Amino acid sequence: MSQANIRNFCIIAHIDHGKSTLADRLLETTGSIMKKDMQEQVLDSMDLERERGITIKMHPVKMNYRSKSGQEYIFNLIDTPGHVDFGYEVSRSLAACEGAVLVVDATQGVEAQTVANLYQAVNHNLTIIPVINKIDLPSAEVERSKQQIIELLGCDEADILLVSAKTGLGIDNLLETIIEKIPAPSGQTEGPPRAMIFDCIFDVYRGAVPYIRMVEGSLKKGMQIKLFSNEKIFEVTEVGTLKLGMYPKEELLTGEVGYVVAGIRTVSDARVGDTITDAEHPAQEALPGYKQVKPMVYAGLYPTENQQYPELREALDKLVLNDSALSYIPETSGALGFGFRCGFLGMLHMEIVQERLEREYNLSLINTVPNVEYKIYKTDGTVLQVDNPAEMPSEVSIEKVEEPYVAAEIVVPAEFIGNIMKLGQDRRGIYKKLEYLDPTRGILFYEFPLAEIIFDFYDKLKSLSKGYASLDYEMLEYRESELVKLDILINGDPLDALSSIVHKQHSFEWGKALVEKLRKLIPRQQYEIAIQAAIGSRIIARESVKAYRKNVTAKCYGGDITRKRKLLEKQKEGKKRMKQVGNVEIPQEAFLAVLKVGD
């Protein structure tokens, strides 16, 4: 088919604005899927995606469409994840398209990720088609949503399409608008090939299979290809298109979206954003925008039973084949035994990985306090990158500590702006500006230390705004901060799994709240348990779990008081000996207590 009849586009939206349902209707209307095979969220293949109603992994799909004028077209829809954790994947899928369908929920209006993804699409010079979804709902506020989109895009009211992805209303009009407004792909059909990898999956029999967009030239079976980022060379054994499955074809031409099988062993060899070219006649330069994805949040994952350690290692080995953003190294903890230090893109990514490990591999896991990566400048001139509080050197040898900062955008109804600004102040946020989308809704621009927003910031944001506020953020830079390591001691022994790196200003409240929480969670023993929070050698907070006490004087009826004293002294000595050899059983909830401090 001619390059002029190809349309490559993606759908961008905030979570739960109906992106996957709209994709379902497009597949159904274009006849790409039979009615009998239809199910909700066709492109969301994981059970976890269906349950949570979110897209975790992107799914490209090819659709054939005959327009009202009778011409045949090929639509390549690249479904994108909606959550902020997967921002880089979204940026690469946008780079593979010429246009974007911007979906706004008529009941919710414009939200934070709508704005963030729109800015990304505009930066990639994509043609934007604004769509208001869920217009059939009784609570739909179409006029208000229209005004917000006009303010945001500066478009005319006539440019905004009204659809209901659930009932199929307005879908035919949307398909015709895609043909009319989104440009056909441009690119040299002759010369060295350049293909951009926008996603990669792992197949047990074929290895890593990159999903690609042909920007220039063509790829076919038997060619020797080279990856720009690592200079590795592979032989192509199959190319094809993606149509709810893999369909082989002779050749992938300029402007087409498809897959390539080339015996690539791991997903880390074919990284998202990398460029594929011909090994014999390579292109001069790679396509712009490639960067290595770096984990933002680190946490320890430990099996609750030590004998499950080999199974956890095997499960992580398999999971990392499909998820190149996940990283892990073995570590040991005095309290929890053997486990792994894992790097994640964010808290949602961490939750998904943990849930998949527990479901798919029948593991029972404990996760330690999530941390970000800090830069520690020592007095001897060396620089350490620390993501585990246990590795933080003593205060004496530290010259300064730097932590990562993010630029955050919070979309919030006007009546809750005061609440959110108070929350921003509590979390060491630097207020930048406030802009209004319309008289009832504003965008707050802040700069936050990443460590302050990875725990429960999103939950707090939702509860303070009755569920209406939404958040998006992106990495800025490292900045110097007054940070200290807070240790938790149980009967004088440090419990490394509960150590955390906190700001000096908040260390006392944090330490006090944590020891109070632990006092309620640690069960009583036959001897007293001292729970202390310490910074270096300085104890800043203490709580005690009182001992059980047997009434040893019950058998004394009358007589001299010294008889009772003697029995009590004997009991005291016994408890002292017990304390020396006794181990305090720390329940699993205690390790999660750090996440819930302040609740």
Side-chain angles (χ1 to χ4, degrees):
M1 189 174 280
S2 153
Q3 200 174 309
N5 286 29
I6 296 174
R7 298 289 182 273
N8 298 324
F9 68 98
C10 60
I11 303 173
I12 54 176
H14 190 80
I15 291 172
D16 208 27
H17 278 213
K19 182 157 56 72
S20 297
T21 313
L22 182 61
D24 291 351
R25 287 296 81 72
L26 292 173
L27 289 167
E28 201 179 322
T29 310
T30 56
S32 304
I33 188 166
M34 304 295 286
K35 266 242 180 347
K36 64 183 175 65
D37 299 326
M38 198 66 207
Q39 57 174 342
E40 279 192 31
Q41 293 169 253
V42 173
L43 297 184
D44 292 344
S45 53
M46 277 188 236
D47 289 341
L48 210 54
E49 290 180 309
R50 288 212 173 88
E51 279 171 31
R52 289 181 173 230
I54 57 173
T55 301
I56 295 166
K57 201 91 177 94
M58 61 170 73
H59 300 269
V61 63
K62 176 186 166 188
M63 298 177 277
N64 292 82
Y65 177 65
R66 184 186 287 274
S67 72
K68 287 177 181 171
S69 63
Q71 269 196 299
E72 289 282 343
Y73 286 88
I74 285 176
F75 287 170
N76 289 310
L77 162 63
I78 298 170
D79 190 25
T80 59
H83 197 273
V84 61
D85 283 5
F86 308 107
Y88 176 62
E89 281 193 25
V90 174
S91 85
R92 293 303 82 214
S93 60
L94 292 176
C97 303
E98 278 77 36
V101 175
L102 176 74
V103 179
V104 174
D105 184 337
T107 63
Q108 305 274 344
V110 169
E111 297 199 65
Q113 277 153 257
T114 318
V115 180
N117 290 342
L118 173 66
Y119 287 163
Q120 278 205 52
V122 170
N123 289 341
H124 285 92
N125 297 318
L126 300 193
T127 302
I128 311 292
I129 299 175
V131 168
I132 296 176
N133 187 22
K134 305 188 187 180
I135 57 166
D136 56 318
L137 294 181
S139 56
E141 295 182 55
V142 177
E143 288 308 313
R144 189 170 71 99
S145 300
K146 273 185 184 176
Q147 286 311 310
Q148 288 177 355
I149 291 171
I150 291 165
E151 287 276 326
L152 198 62
L153 277 175
C155 62
D156 295 327
E157 192 176 325
D159 297 334
I160 302 169
L161 304 182
L162 304 179
V163 306
S164 167
K166 199 153 198 169
T167 62
L169 180 70
I171 299 297
D172 290 325
N173 188 18
L174 172 60
L175 288 164
E176 292 297 322
T177 309
I178 287 168
I179 293 169
E180 187 189 314
K181 292 198 172 173
I182 294 176
S186 59
Q188 297 293 323
T189 50
E190 303 301 320
R194 286 201 299 174
M196 190 189 75
I197 301 172
F198 61 83
D199 194 18
C200 191
I201 61 151
F202 186 81
D203 186 289
V204 179
Y205 303 105
R206 296 164 153 200
V209 181
Y211 290 168
I212 58 167
R213 152 75 199 267
M214 288 304 305
V215 178
E216 287 174 356
S218 62
L219 283 182
K220 55 185 166 187
K221 187 177 174 179
M223 278 179 72
Q224 295 282 324
I225 56 166
K226 184 179 85 167
L227 297 165
F228 263 92
S229 69
N230 52 25
E231 301 282 313
K232 289 188 179 179
I233 293 171
F234 302 96
E235 186 180 336
V236 177
T237 55
E238 183 182 304
V239 294
T241 54
L242 296 146
K243 202 174 180 181
L244 295 176
M246 294 184 180
Y247 290 81
K249 62 179 288 191
E250 284 298 306
E251 192 174 17
L252 274 181
L253 303 167
T254 307
E256 290 192 311
V257 171
Y259 68 92
V260 57
V261 180
I264 302 168
R265 293 200 177 166
T266 62
V267 172
S268 56
D269 280 343
R271 291 187 178 276
V272 172
D274 202 355
T275 306
I276 293 175
T277 188
D278 188 350
E280 290 169 21
H281 307 287
Q284 291 302 303
E285 57 181 32
L287 295 161
Y290 169 72
K291 65 176 184 185
Q292 242 176 321
V293 183
K294 278 198 74 184
M296 303 273 272
V297 175
Y298 296 83
L301 280 182
Y302 293 86
T304 49
E305 295 167 24
N306 279 338
Q307 61 265 35
Q308 282 195 328
Y309 176 75
E311 291 165 42
L312 177 58
R313 178 191 285 278
E314 199 180 314
L316 282 167
D317 282 341
K318 285 178 183 170
L319 209 57
V320 94
L321 291 173
N322 270 312
D323 189 349
S324 59
L326 173 67
S327 65
Y328 68 95
I329 53 165
E331 74 167 1
T332 53
S333 155
L336 300 172
F338 292 99
F340 294 92
R341 190 90 190 153
C342 302
F344 308 95
L345 294 172
M347 288 296 276
L348 178 76
H349 187 213
M350 180 177 125
E351 275 179 50
I352 288 161
V353 167
Q354 189 174 346
E355 207 160 321
R356 284 188 69 187
L357 287 168
E358 288 177 347
R359 277 186 188 200
E360 294 170 26
Y361 302 97
N362 294 321
L363 296 168
S364 175
L365 302 172
I366 293 176
N367 65 312
T368 61
V369 192
N371 275 292
V372 299
E373 193 170 58
Y374 299 95
K375 283 184 183 170
I376 294 171
Y377 294 80
K378 294 179 76 176
T379 46
D380 61 3
T382 56
V383 181
L384 298 176
Q385 291 206 317
V386 170
D387 56 59
N388 186 350
E391 293 168 9
M392 191 163 176
S394 65
E395 278 187 285
V396 189
S397 61
I398 296 173
E399 187 182 309
K400 64 173 180 173
V401 182
E402 288 185 352
E403 64 177 331
Y405 268 72
V406 294
E409 292 171 16
I410 302 166
V411 175
V412 60
E415 70 222 69
F416 302 116
I417 285 174
N419 295 357
I420 303 306
M421 290 179 89
K422 170 79 170 63
L423 177 66
Q425 196 178 337
D426 293 343
R427 296 301 174 96
R428 298 193 284 134
I430 302 164
Y431 171 75
K432 289 304 199 188
K433 60 178 176 175
L434 167 64
E435 286 178 5
Y436 280 92
L437 283 165
D438 62 29
T440 64
R441 189 178 285 227
I443 307 182
L444 282 164
F445 293 86
Y446 267 94
E447 287 176 5
F448 285 107
L450 179 60
E452 293 286 349
I453 64 168
I454 61 168
F455 286 147
D456 57 349
F457 184 81
Y458 191 70
D459 297 341
K460 287 271 196 296
L461 193 68
K462 287 289 183 191
S463 62
L464 287 172
S465 64
K466 296 185 180 169
Y468 288 110
S470 54
L471 166 77
D472 191 88
Y473 62 85
E474 61 178 30
M475 186 66 183
L476 271 179
E477 62 193 354
Y478 275 81
R479 294 182 190 169
E480 190 177 340
S481 291
E482 276 195 281
L483 297 165
V484 290
K485 180 188 172 189
L486 181 73
D487 284 312
I488 298 297
L489 312 176
I490 306 287
N491 278 346
D493 296 326
L495 195 64
D496 53 358
L498 287 177
S499 296
S500 51
I501 297 170
V502 295
H503 195 266
K504 205 169 187 176
Q505 188 183 320
H506 300 307
S507 58
F508 175 70
E509 299 97 82
W510 184 268
K512 193 169 185 302
L514 189 50
V515 293
E516 280 175 7
K517 199 130 204 169
L518 288 171
R519 180 175 62 79
K520 294 172 190 167
L521 292 169
I522 293 174
R524 288 171 73 186
Q525 310 283 340
Q526 293 289 353
Y527 50 88
E528 190 178 284
I529 301 166
I531 308 165
Q532 297 166 310
I535 295 171
S537 57
R538 196 170 82 256
I539 305 295
I540 59 166
R542 173 187 166 128
E543 288 286 333
S544 296
V545 178
K546 295 294 179 202
Y548 283 124
R549 180 168 171 266
K550 185 182 174 187
N551 189 0
V552 289
T553 60
K555 58 188 175 187
C556 288
Y557 296 99
D560 197 82
I561 188 69
T562 52
R563 286 181 66 204
K564 285 188 179 181
R565 266 202 203 124
K566 193 175 168 187
L567 289 167
L568 289 168
E569 287 299 321
K570 199 173 172 187
Q571 184 187 39
K572 202 188 272 183
E573 285 301 314
K575 283 191 183 290
K576 212 178 208 176
R577 278 199 307 278
M578 197 186 285
K579 195 172 185 176
Q580 285 169 358
V581 294
N583 280 329
V584 181
E585 282 285 317
I586 310 289
Q588 190 170 336
E589 303 84 67
F591 297 104
L592 305 175
V594 186
L595 302 175
K596 295 175 182 148
V597 169
D599 282 4

